[in-house]
C-alpha cells in the first residue's frame, strides 16, 4: 500500500474526520526506518466530539436488545477474518508485526467479538430475601460513556478486549490507539461501520498519551477508563481520574513473569513453551516469561536446548511471511533495551545475543538474548525489558524457587 492509501484520520460518529487540532504525528516502519504516514493527533475539541458522539449514541444503544446487538458482533468478526491480510500489513508497517503472529492476533481479535456477541445475556443482577417481608434487588447498568487507552504491542487484540465487553454491556466507547501502531485500529473503525454498528457507539482517536490520553483521563463526561501499559503511566491515569470526576479505573500494567522448571519436567516441552513465550512478537508482551528458574541438576541441559531453539528462529523483515523475529516497535524501544542489555552484561553471564542488529542494514532489531546466573536484584532481573531477553537462573529447592519467583513488583502471569 502506498503512503497515500493509509487511513490516517480520526473515526468519530462512524465517519473518518480530520483532526480539529490540525496536528499530526509520524509513523515509521521499524524494519525499514521509512516514514509510513502522518496520523491525525486528537486534541481537546476532537476528544470532546468523540465523547459527545458516544453520549448521544448511548441514549439508544443501551436499549437495544442483545438479540439485535449479537449479529453486529458476529458480522464484525467475519469482516476481521475477511480482511486479515490488510490488517497484517497495517500492523506490519507500523510496528513490525510478523505474519505468523498476525494469524494468531486476527484469530484472537475476531474470536473476542464472537465471544462477546451474546455476553449481554449474562449481565444479571441479584435478589435477596434475607430481610423478612422484603425483596432486595441489585441491578447492573452500563456506565454510559467509557474510554480505553491501549498499547502498541498487540493493538488489535487489545482493541477487542476493551471494546467488545464495553459495548456488549450497553456502553459507548472512546478508544485511543497507541501513537506507535494506530493504523490497524483505524481499519477496525471502517469494519465497525460496515458491520452496522450505529454511529457513536465506537469512536477511535489517535495521539500521544500526554495529550490525547490525558484529555480522556481527565474528561468529566467519561465515567470509566481502562488502560493497558506501563506502571508509571498507569499511576498517572489513576491520578487524573481521581482528580477529575473520580471515574472508575481498570489498569493492566507490566509483567516480569517467572517460569519454574523442575528436574522431572518434560524438558523439550518446557524449552519450547518458554522460548515461544519470550520470543514471539519479539518479546513485546507483558506476560512473557522473562525470568526462568531451572532446577540445578538440569540447568546446563536446559540452557543448551533453549539457546539452540532461539538461534534457529529467523530474524528478518516482517514483510516476509517466514520471519519469526521482527524488529522492536521503534528506535526508542530498541535503545532502551540496549541500555538494559549493557546493564545485564555487568550483572550476570551472557549466553547469547546481547546486542542490537539490523536486517539489510536497517531496522530496530535486538538479537535474541539469554543471560544466566544473574542476581535477583539486578535491573535486568527486575525491570520489564519488553524484548527478546530472558534471564535463566538455577535453584535448589521448591521453596527457594517460589520465593524468588514471587519477589517482584509486577503482577501479571506466571506458570
Amino acid at each position: 500500500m502506498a503512503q497515500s492509501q493509509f487511513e490516517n484520520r480520526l473515526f468519530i460518529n462512524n465517519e473518518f474526520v480530520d483532526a480539529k487540532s490540525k496536528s499530526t504525528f509520524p509513523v515509521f516502519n521499524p524494519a525499514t526506518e521509512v516514514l509510513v504516514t502522518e496520523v491525525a493527533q486528537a486534541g481537546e475539541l476532537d476528544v470532546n466530539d468523540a465523547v459527545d458522539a458516544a453520549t448521544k449514541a448511548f441514549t439508544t444503544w443501551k436499549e437495544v436488545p442483545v438479540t439485535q446487538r449479537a449479529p453486529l458482533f458476529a458480522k464484525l468478526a467475519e469482516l476481521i477474518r475477511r480482511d486479515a491480510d490488510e490488517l497484517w500489513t497495517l500492523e506490519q508497517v507500523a510496528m513490525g508485526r510478523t505474519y505468523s503472529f498476525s494469524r494468531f492476533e486476527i484469530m484472537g481479535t475476531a474470536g473476542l467479538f464472537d465471544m462477546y456477541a451474546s455476553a449481554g445475556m449474562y449481565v444479571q443482577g441479584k435478589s435477596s430475601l434475607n430481610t423478612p417481608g422484603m425483596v432486595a434487588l441489585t441491578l447492573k447498568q452500563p456506565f454510559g460513556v467509557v474510554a480505553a487507552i491501549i498499547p502498541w504491542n498487540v493493538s488489535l487484540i487489545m482493541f477487542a478486549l476493551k471494546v467488545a465487553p464495553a459495548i456488549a454491556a450497553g456502553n459507548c466507547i472512546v478508544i485511543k490507539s497507541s501513537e506507535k501502531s494506530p493504523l490497524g485500529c483505524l481499519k477496525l473503525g471502517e469494519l465497525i461501520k460496515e458491520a452496522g454498528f450505529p454511529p457513536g457507539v465506537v469512536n477511535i482517536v489517535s495521539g500521544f498519551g500526554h495529550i490525547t490520553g490525558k484529555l480522556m483521563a481527565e474528561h468529566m463526561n467519561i465515567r470509566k477508563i481502562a488502560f493497558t501499559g506501563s506502571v508509571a503511566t498507569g499511576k498517572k491515569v489513576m491520578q487524573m481520574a481521581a482528580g477529575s470526576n473520580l471515574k472508575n479505573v481498570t489498569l493492566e500494567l507490566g509483567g516480569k513473569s517467572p517460569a519454574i522448571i523442575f528436574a522431572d519436567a518434560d524438558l523439550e516441552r518446557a524449552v519450547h513453551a518458554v522460548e515461544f513465550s519470550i520470543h514471539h512478537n519479539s518479546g513485546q508482551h507483558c506476560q512473557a516469561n522473562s525470568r526462568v528458574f531451572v532446577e540445578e541438576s538440569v540447568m546446563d541441559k536446559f540452557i543448551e536446548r533453549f539457546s539452540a531453539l532461539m538461534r534457529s528462529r529467523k530474524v528478518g523483515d516482517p514483510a516476509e511471511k517466514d520471519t519469526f523475529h521482527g524488529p522492536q516497535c521503534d528506535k526508542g524501544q530498541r535503545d532502551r533495551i540496549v541500555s538494559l542489555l549493557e546493564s545485564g552484561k555487568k550483572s550476570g553471564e551472557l549466553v547469547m545475543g546481547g546486542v542490537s542488529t539490523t536486517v539489510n542494514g536497517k531496522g530496530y532489531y535486538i538479537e535474541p538474548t539469554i543471560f544466566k546466573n544473574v542476581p535477583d536484584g539486578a535491573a535486568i532481573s527486575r525491570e520489564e525489558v519488553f524484548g527478546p531477553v530472558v534471564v535463566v537462573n538455577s535453584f535448589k529447592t521448591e521453596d527457594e524457587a517460589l520465593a524468588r519467583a514471587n519477589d517482584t513488583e509486577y503482577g501479571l502471569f506466571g506458570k
Side-chain angles (χ1 to χ4, degrees):
M1 298 175 72
Q3 179 175 329
S4 60
Q5 293 178 290
F6 292 113
E7 180 56 70
N8 56 8
R9 296 171 292 173
L10 310 175
F11 183 74
I12 298 175
N13 211 34
N14 265 15
E15 300 295 337
F16 285 104
V17 296
D18 293 321
K20 291 180 178 178
S21 69
K22 306 298 183 184
S23 298
T24 62
F25 60 89
V27 174
F28 291 92
N29 185 322
T32 64
E33 305 178 34
V34 171
L35 177 67
V36 176
T37 189
E38 296 276 344
V39 176
Q41 162 72 57
E44 183 174 4
L45 294 178
D46 304 301
V47 172
N48 286 343
D49 284 350
V51 173
D52 289 346
T55 301
K56 182 179 179 181
F58 177 65
T59 60
T60 52
W61 179 248
K62 67 179 180 180
E63 304 296 341
V64 176
V66 174
T67 51
Q68 293 180 27
R69 291 182 195 157
L72 306 180
F73 284 72
K75 179 64 175 178
L76 178 56
E78 175 188 328
L79 295 175
I80 290 169
R81 295 186 184 99
R82 182 197 70 186
D83 290 353
D85 283 346
E86 183 180 351
L87 286 163
W88 167 53
T89 297
L90 294 169
E91 291 296 290
Q92 174 234 310
V93 300
M95 63 78 57
R97 175 75 75 246
T98 61
Y99 180 78
S100 60
F101 188 78
S102 177
R103 299 300 90 185
F104 163 78
E105 185 173 27
I106 295 299
M107 177 183 68
T109 303
L112 283 163
F113 281 104
D114 273 334
M115 183 180 76
Y116 280 102
S118 59
M121 298 281 290
Y122 306 101
V123 179
Q124 300 172 351
K126 296 180 179 180
S127 62
S128 170
L129 299 174
N130 287 342
T131 302
M134 300 182 67
V135 178
L137 300 176
T138 302
L139 304 179
K140 292 185 177 181
Q141 297 177 318
F143 282 91
V145 178
V146 300
I149 301 172
I150 60 174
W152 45 265
N153 59 322
V154 281
S155 303
L156 306 183
I157 285 179
M158 282 295 169
F159 184 100
L161 281 169
K162 299 291 192 281
V163 170
I167 63 176
N171 301 287
C172 295
I173 191 168
V174 179
I175 184 165
K176 188 192 87 66
S177 59
S178 169
E179 70 279 3
K180 300 179 191 293
S181 59
L183 303 181
C185 291
L186 290 171
K187 172 64 180 178
L188 291 180
E190 174 190 317
L191 299 184
I192 283 167
K193 181 177 181 178
E194 184 179 348
F197 284 92
V201 173
V202 180
N203 304 274
I204 306 167
V205 293
S206 309
F208 288 96
H210 69 280
I211 300 173
T212 311
K214 183 175 185 292
L215 289 166
M216 294 165 66
E218 293 180 339
H219 205 288
M220 295 298 291
N221 293 328
I222 291 174
R223 302 303 177 190
K224 175 180 174 62
I225 189 165
F227 169 79
T228 297
S230 72
V231 173
T233 303
K235 290 178 179 178
K236 292 178 182 178
V237 169
M238 184 167 280
Q239 290 167 354
M240 288 184 279
S244 51
N245 61 345
L246 280 173
K247 58 178 64 65
N248 186 286
V249 178
T250 299
L251 301 176
E252 181 191 3
L253 308 179
K256 192 68 178 175
S257 306
I260 301 174
I261 299 165
F262 291 93
D264 62 351
D266 182 329
L267 213 56
E268 282 301 314
R269 290 185 64 185
V271 165
H272 278 81
V274 171
E275 191 273 343
F276 185 79
S277 176
I278 192 61
H279 206 176
H280 79 276
N281 205 30
S282 302
Q284 298 173 126
H285 53 104
C286 52
Q287 76 272 28
N289 288 142
S290 52
R291 295 182 299 142
V292 182
F293 298 96
V294 184
E295 194 162 1
E296 195 172 62
S297 62
V298 294
M299 172 75 162
D300 291 342
K301 187 181 294 186
F302 177 86
I303 288 281
E304 179 184 355
R305 298 183 186 183
F306 186 38
S307 58
L309 182 56
M310 288 195 85
R311 287 191 179 97
S312 73
R313 302 292 197 181
K314 178 182 175 180
V315 179
D317 185 343
E320 298 173 0
K321 289 187 176 182
D322 62 341
T323 292
F324 181 86
H325 177 146
Q328 308 311 124
C329 74
D330 64 7
K331 183 179 184 297
Q333 182 67 8
R334 189 272 313 272
D335 291 348
R336 176 183 173 275
I337 294 173
V338 168
S339 176
L340 284 166
L341 291 176
E342 292 307 309
S343 170
K345 292 172 187 177
K346 298 173 183 177
S347 304
E349 299 176 42
L350 181 64
V351 176
M352 61 176 284
V355 295
S356 63
T357 187
T358 60
V359 172
N360 300 321
K362 295 287 186 180
Y364 308 123
Y365 293 83
I366 295 291
E367 288 189 4
T369 299
I370 301 174
F371 288 100
K372 69 176 183 178
N373 300 329
V374 180
D376 292 341
I380 199 73
S381 291
R382 301 202 70 81
E383 294 187 28
E384 185 178 35
V385 178
F386 228 62
V389 181
V390 61
V391 171
V392 182
N393 284 326
S394 63
F395 68 89
K396 289 183 171 66
T397 68
E398 180 178 341
D399 287 344
E400 175 200 349
L402 290 173
R404 294 170 69 187
N406 289 324
D407 183 20
T408 178
E409 293 300 312
Y410 295 101
L412 282 180
F413 207 62
K415 62 182 181 183

